[in-house]
């Protein structure tokens, strides 16, 4: 085990060194390029003045035409205040930019989405809301990113209500969606039913709170859900309930609604007879004692999602009886990675010109991801990022659901949405390959590193 930790640390250090060197070399991960031909200066008379005035006059008669006559239909903002960046904490908007650029790269490569990093300096959540709303005319959607809790809940709820484009917080919704997808297939494998299983969420931050609400929307009984935070099991008689009601009403509501048996105490008490453990807590192999798996029901399902080191090592979970184990890491089976979610979801809501996104859309997305794995096994409960066919399928399912819910401005069949998404994503990947073949995207100065 010690050797494994040393290898992981050495590999991480190599990634860090390369990231610094290559960031200096490329000076950013994304750039804006023209998509229209310029054969001579006369073409500017079409793309700019005087021809562009006709386009502006047309949009002025119907603002939704901006989705058809400009790039707004395929452009989103990645909006952050830099208050909770990866595992780095509150490092500010400037330091958040490299992470937002990386997110934009994934959006574009996997989903064909033009994503613009927009780190902002704001002093209050109300100011954040004001900035986001002022940006709405420029974008077809907003991806909130790396925002501290519980501010992130307020921002998502407020902006979803007050904006007429989809607003998504990936740390909440993306993680919750891929977690649900993994659990759907895990339950199928062990032969249990959604309405009967007992689910314990260890950690009550953005990801697990969103997941608890999503699981309820997917048919899990709220009475069979228990959340555990650093102070113990969430339940109505906790001494901090008044504080939660004022400062974190989303967590407060879960304390009232979940835990039908009114279990008290710590994680050990919560896990007695549980079918599923989903831990999104502190990184480290001893955060959760692997022996607690023995307290769980037959064929327990264990998701230990902390990065870079899970709360217990998968081998230890299995030694103590876990039937299925998932982590947030790519070097173990069953990586629960929200990169499987957000590129396809945004491809779908953009293609449908959706006015919003909600839990019903997310449940549909989770089932599409789960169903992509036609024969799930204990070692394969979700797709991998290399299975790129997932993304147009996911986009099609999401777009179709927004039509069903009356959220779509653009109506099409599931097959029509699928073809559109597949064409956009495949064309985008072809552009990448061609630019690399031609040397227009320069190779890394020291060649490709393998780890």
């Amino acid at each position: 085990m010690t050797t494994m930790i040393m290898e992981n640390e050495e590999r991480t250090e190599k990634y860090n060194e390369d990231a610094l060197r290559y960031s200096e070399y490329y000076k950013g991960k994304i750039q804006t390029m023209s998509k229209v031909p310029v054969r001579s200066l006369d073409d500017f008379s079409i793309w700019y003045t005087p021809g562009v005035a006709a386009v502006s006059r047309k949009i002025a008669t119907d603002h939704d035409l901006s989705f058809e006559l400009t790039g707004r239909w395929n452009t989103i903002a990645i909006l952050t205040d830099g208050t909770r960046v990866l595992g780095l904490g509150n490092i500010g908007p400037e330091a958040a930019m490299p992470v937002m650029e990386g997110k934009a790269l994934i959006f574009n490569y996997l989903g064909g989405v033009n994503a613009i990093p927009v780190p902002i300096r704001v002093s209050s959540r109300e100011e954040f809301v004001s900035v986001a709303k002022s940006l709405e005319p420029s974008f077809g959607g907003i991806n909130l990113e790396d925002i501290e809790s519980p501010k992130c809940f307020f921002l998502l709820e407020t902006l979803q209500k007050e904006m007429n484009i989809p607003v998504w917080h990936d740390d909440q919704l993306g993680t919750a969606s891929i977690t649900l997808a993994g659990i759907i297939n895990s339950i199928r494998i062990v032969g249990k039913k959604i309405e009967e299983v007992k689910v314990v969420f260890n950690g009550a931050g953005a990801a697990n709170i969103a997941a608890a609400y999503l699981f309820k929307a997917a048919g899990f009984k709220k009475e069979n859900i228990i959340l555990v935070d650093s102070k113990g099991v969430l339940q109505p008689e906790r001494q901090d309930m008044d504080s939660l009601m004022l400062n974190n009403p989303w967590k407060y509501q879960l304390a009232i609604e979940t835990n039908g048996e009114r279990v008290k105490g710590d994680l050990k008490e919560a896990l007695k007879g549980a079918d599923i453990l989903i831990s999104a807590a502190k990184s480290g192999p001893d955060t959760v004692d692997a022996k607690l798996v023995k307290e769980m029901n037959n064929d327990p399902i264990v998701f230990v999602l902390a990065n870079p080191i899970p709360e217990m090592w998968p081998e230890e979970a299995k030694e103590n009886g876990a039937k299925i184990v998932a982590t947030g890491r790519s070097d173990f089976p069953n990586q629960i990675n929200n990169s499987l979610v957000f590129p396809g979801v945004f491809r779908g809501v953009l293609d449908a010109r959706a006015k919003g996104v909600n839990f019903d859309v997310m449940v549909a997305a989770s089932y599409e991801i789960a169903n992509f794995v036609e024969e799930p096994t204990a070692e394969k409960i979700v797709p991998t990022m290399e299975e790129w066919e997932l993304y147009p399928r996911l986009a099609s399912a999401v777009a179709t659901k927004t039509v069903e819910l009356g959220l779509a401005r653009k109506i099409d069949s599931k097959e029509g949405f699928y073809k559109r998404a597949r064409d956009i994503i495949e064309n985008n990947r072809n552009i990448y390959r061609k630019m690399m073949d031609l040397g227009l995207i320069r190779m890394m100065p020291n060649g490709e590193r393998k780890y």
Side-chain angles (χ1 to χ4, degrees):
M1 193 68 69
T2 302
T3 301
M4 179 185 295
I5 293 173
M6 289 178 62
E7 289 175 353
N8 290 334
E9 290 177 348
E10 289 174 359
R11 188 163 64 248
T12 299
E13 183 58 31
K14 289 179 180 177
Y15 283 131
N16 290 339
E17 292 173 0
D18 280 357
L20 283 169
R21 181 166 60 255
Y22 296 150
S23 292
E24 171 65 23
Y25 180 72
Y26 287 104
K27 301 190 184 304
K29 305 177 187 74
I30 59 173
Q31 66 182 10
T32 301
M33 293 187 65
S34 172
K35 60 185 290 187
V36 298
V38 178
R39 299 156 298 180
S40 69
L41 292 180
D42 187 58
D43 282 339
F44 290 128
S45 298
I46 300 172
W47 308 130
Y48 192 48
T49 187
V52 73
V55 183
S56 294
R57 283 195 296 266
K58 191 74 173 178
I59 294 173
T61 67
D62 179 359
H63 292 171
D64 280 354
L65 288 175
S66 62
F67 291 100
E68 306 302 325
L69 301 177
T70 76
R72 186 185 181 194
W73 71 274
N74 197 37
T75 306
I76 69 166
I78 304 177
L79 199 58
T80 185
D81 60 2
T83 51
R84 190 184 179 280
V85 179
L86 296 177
L88 304 175
N90 188 350
I91 59 175
E94 289 88 355
M97 176 61 91
V99 182
M100 302 308 111
E101 283 191 336
K103 194 86 171 192
L105 177 64
I106 295 173
F107 263 117
N108 194 256
Y109 188 78
L110 295 178
V113 175
N114 297 325
I116 310 300
V118 188
I120 59 174
R121 181 176 291 104
V122 290
S123 57
S124 68
R125 59 188 192 180
E126 291 77 15
E127 188 179 358
F128 193 116
V129 168
S130 178
V131 171
K133 291 172 67 174
S134 71
L135 292 172
E136 182 171 355
S138 298
F139 297 102
I142 300 284
N143 179 79
L144 302 175
E145 193 76 22
D146 290 351
I147 301 166
E148 63 188 352
S149 176
K151 184 200 301 183
C152 61
F153 302 116
F154 168 84
L155 293 176
L156 180 64
E157 183 176 284
T158 302
L159 293 173
Q160 283 189 333
K161 288 179 180 177
E162 298 184 8
M163 296 183 73
N164 207 31
I165 56 175
V167 180
W168 171 278
H169 180 214
D170 200 45
D171 297 318
Q172 291 183 62
L173 307 183
T175 305
S177 291
I178 189 58
T179 300
L180 175 57
I183 291 298
I184 289 168
N185 274 341
S186 297
I187 290 173
R188 288 169 172 169
I189 292 167
V190 300
K192 297 182 181 182
K193 297 180 179 179
I194 280 177
E195 61 271 17
E196 296 176 356
V197 293
K198 177 180 175 182
V199 184
V200 174
F201 290 97
N202 181 45
N208 270 355
I209 286 180
Y213 281 107
L214 181 60
F215 276 48
K216 287 199 304 172
F220 291 76
K221 288 188 175 180
K222 59 186 178 182
E223 297 85 359
N224 294 341
I225 294 173
I226 296 179
L227 287 93
V228 184
D229 65 8
S230 59
K231 297 180 180 179
V233 174
L234 273 185
Q235 45 87 14
E237 297 181 13
R238 279 196 3 178
Q239 294 183 348
D240 62 344
M241 286 297 285
D242 288 343
S243 174
L244 285 179
M245 182 170 59
L246 292 173
N247 300 313
N248 195 334
W250 303 273
K251 189 173 178 179
Y252 171 84
Q253 190 64 34
L254 289 173
I256 297 294
E257 291 185 353
T258 61
N259 189 5
E261 296 180 358
R262 296 300 185 238
V263 174
K264 298 180 182 179
D266 57 13
L267 181 60
K268 181 177 181 179
E269 295 300 315
L271 283 176
K272 289 181 178 178
D275 298 283
I276 299 168
L277 167 63
I278 299 170
S279 185
K282 186 177 68 173
S283 175
D286 300 317
T287 299
V288 176
D289 185 351
K291 293 179 181 178
L292 291 182
V293 176
K294 295 179 179 179
E295 304 286 337
M296 299 176 68
N297 202 351
N298 295 331
D299 294 331
I301 298 164
V302 176
F303 282 24
V304 276
L305 305 180
N307 275 317
I309 300 174
E311 294 89 336
M312 69 175 82
W313 292 112
E315 311 90 80
E316 293 179 321
K318 290 183 178 179
E319 288 170 3
N320 285 278
K323 180 73 172 180
I324 298 171
V325 182
T327 73
R329 290 170 52 141
S330 61
D331 52 348
F332 295 116
N334 301 327
Q335 184 186 23
I336 302 302
N337 186 342
N338 55 2
S339 294
L340 293 166
V341 182
F342 64 82
V345 166
F346 267 92
R347 179 73 277 136
V349 295
L350 291 171
D351 289 346
R353 313 292 193 263
K355 299 176 183 178
V357 61
N358 58 30
F359 281 130
D360 290 336
V361 175
M362 292 166 57
V363 171
S366 297
Y367 268 98
E368 189 67 29
I369 295 168
N371 293 339
F372 187 86
V373 184
E374 295 181 358
E375 297 182 2
T377 67
E379 301 288 301
K380 173 78 170 181
I381 58 173
V382 292
T384 65
M385 288 173 64
E386 287 81 11
E387 297 175 90
W388 86 271
E389 183 62 28
L390 166 70
Y391 297 99
R393 276 185 49 174
L394 178 54
S396 174
V398 166
T400 302
K401 192 66 177 180
T402 65
V403 172
E404 178 186 322
L405 296 173
L407 295 172
R409 293 179 175 91
K410 193 177 186 69
I411 310 300
D412 203 343
S413 66
K414 189 171 185 178
E415 294 75 18
F417 281 126
Y418 169 79
K419 184 179 185 304
R420 178 178 178 82
R422 195 177 193 282
D423 288 348
I424 291 171
I425 295 170
E426 189 168 7
N427 181 64
N428 207 60
R429 290 167 66 90
N430 287 337
I431 291 172
Y432 266 102
R433 284 192 287 265
K434 190 68 173 178
M435 291 178 71
M436 286 191 289
D437 289 344
L438 294 174
L440 300 176
I441 294 179
R442 296 175 294 170
M443 297 304 292
M444 296 175 180
N446 295 330
E448 295 187 51
R449 292 282 292 272
K450 296 186 183 296
Y451 300 99

